[in-house]
Amino acid sequence: MTTVVHIDDTVRDYETWKPAFDGLVQYYTEAGARNCRVARFTHNPNRVLIELDFDTMAEAEAFRDGLHKLIDLPRTQMLLVSHEVSILELVDDRRLTARASS
């Protein structure tokens, strides 16, 4: 079972936030994250969705709990407008292929 930590952040400036986020890759991997996806809204490029995949619920919960400490740091708060974290259970994951043309 894959457990997903879903983070919905609105950042003050994406171009400033992204290098700070990239600097945390080792933190995420040491916490047990095995995959990470980052997306941003086309109509609001400062709103960022992050999904991190974990093998267990316990790893995801421990990561979420540790993330609170990171988010509370003044230097992190300077980058964020809002921050919300959810834990999801992945129930279906499909790779879709294009239909063959007739």
Side-chain angles (χ1 to χ4, degrees):
M1 171 184 79
T2 296
T3 303
V4 179
V5 173
H6 177 89
I7 303 168
D8 184 343
D9 283 348
T10 300
V11 300
R12 295 189 194 287
D13 177 67
Y14 178 83
E15 300 304 325
T16 302
W17 171 85
K18 185 65 164 79
F21 173 81
D22 290 343
L24 296 171
V25 170
Q26 184 174 352
Y27 171 75
Y28 299 144
T29 56
E30 288 176 359
R34 59 179 167 78
N35 196 26
C36 177
R37 291 172 297 284
V38 177
R40 60 192 233 189
F41 285 74
T42 56
H43 67 281
N44 179 1
N46 287 330
R47 184 166 175 207
V48 183
L49 300 179
I50 304 155
E51 290 187 338
L52 298 136
D53 296 340
F54 292 85
D55 289 326
T56 68
M57 180 68 72
E59 286 177 325
E61 289 172 340
F63 174 80
R64 177 202 56 206
D65 295 345
L67 188 60
H68 289 303
K69 294 175 188 171
L70 179 65
I71 295 303
D72 288 341
L73 294 172
R75 67 178 180 260
T76 305
Q77 285 295 309
M78 290 181 358
L79 298 172
L80 296 175
V81 173
S82 66
H83 172 78
E84 183 178 330
V85 179
S86 303
I87 295 181
L88 312 168
E89 178 184 350
L90 184 64
V91 295
D92 193 359
D93 185 13
R94 300 179 191 193
R95 297 281 181 220
L96 303 177
T97 58
R99 292 184 288 178
S101 44
S102 306

